[in-house]
Amino acid sequence: MARWICPRCDREFAAVGQGHSCVPGSTVEASLAGAPAWMRECYAAISRELRRCGPVHEDAVRVGVFLKTDRKLAEFRPRAKTVRLTLWLPGPVEHPRLLPLAEPMAARVYHHFTLRSIDDLDEELLELVGEAYDFATDSG
């Protein structure tokens, strides 16, 4: 997982000079500090699934945590009463938590899921997290 570190904000990215909002990074703990316990539990479950798959980089910022391997694979964004989980996958999928908008980005499709409790993070959704990891790695 070769990474470029921006000299201005010290955040890590896949490509040298990669475009980004140059804002200082944070820690996962600080990004989730004001979140209810169930949101932190969801993040912990997603993190466990990703670490089971292999190494992952957590790019924590004010709005949430961007999860990366060779490229970005997911975003975890706490909101007032929900979490927006975005996964980049090789094609469209179906899931009860999936918002109707799935937009292609080159050969990748991003999917937005809304979580309202830890129960929303079911086995099928965790399998999609693993699929996103595999798809984002060069070996995937």
Side-chain angles (χ1 to χ4, degrees):
M1 179 170 36
R3 317 277 320 149
W4 170 70
I5 299 175
C6 174
R8 291 181 44 207
C9 65
D10 289 326
R11 290 174 54 212
E12 293 185 25
F13 298 92
V16 173
Q18 181 173 327
H20 62 282
S21 297
C22 205
V23 295
S26 181
T27 64
V28 172
E29 293 77 21
S31 291
L32 302 179
W38 73 264
M39 288 183 187
R40 293 190 303 277
E41 290 173 27
C42 284
Y43 184 82
I46 290 167
S47 181
R48 277 191 305 276
E49 178 64 21
L50 291 174
R51 292 188 192 296
R52 186 190 63 71
C53 295
V56 64
H57 174 72
E58 299 169 308
D59 185 13
V61 292
R62 183 183 55 80
V63 298
V65 184
F66 304 150
L67 299 157
K68 305 171 183 178
T69 61
D70 296 324
R71 357 175 235 206
K72 188 190 302 186
L73 66 102
E75 292 181 0
F76 185 90
R77 292 180 180 244
R79 298 184 169 205
K81 296 182 186 229
T82 63
V83 168
R84 166 78 55 93
L85 175 64
T86 303
L87 301 176
W88 277 262
L89 297 163
V93 299
E94 291 187 21
H95 188 277
R97 307 280 176 263
L98 180 65
L99 295 175
L101 178 66
E103 298 184 25
M105 272 182 68
R108 304 191 310 156
V109 178
Y110 63 89
H111 301 75
H112 299 295
F113 299 87
T114 299
L115 306 177
R116 291 181 173 80
S117 76
I118 187 67
D119 296 332
D120 289 345
L121 194 57
D122 60 21
E123 187 174 318
E124 183 182 357
L125 190 47
L126 284 172
E127 286 176 10
L128 290 173
V129 168
E131 185 178 331
Y133 182 94
D134 291 341
F135 185 58
T137 62
D138 282 336
S139 60

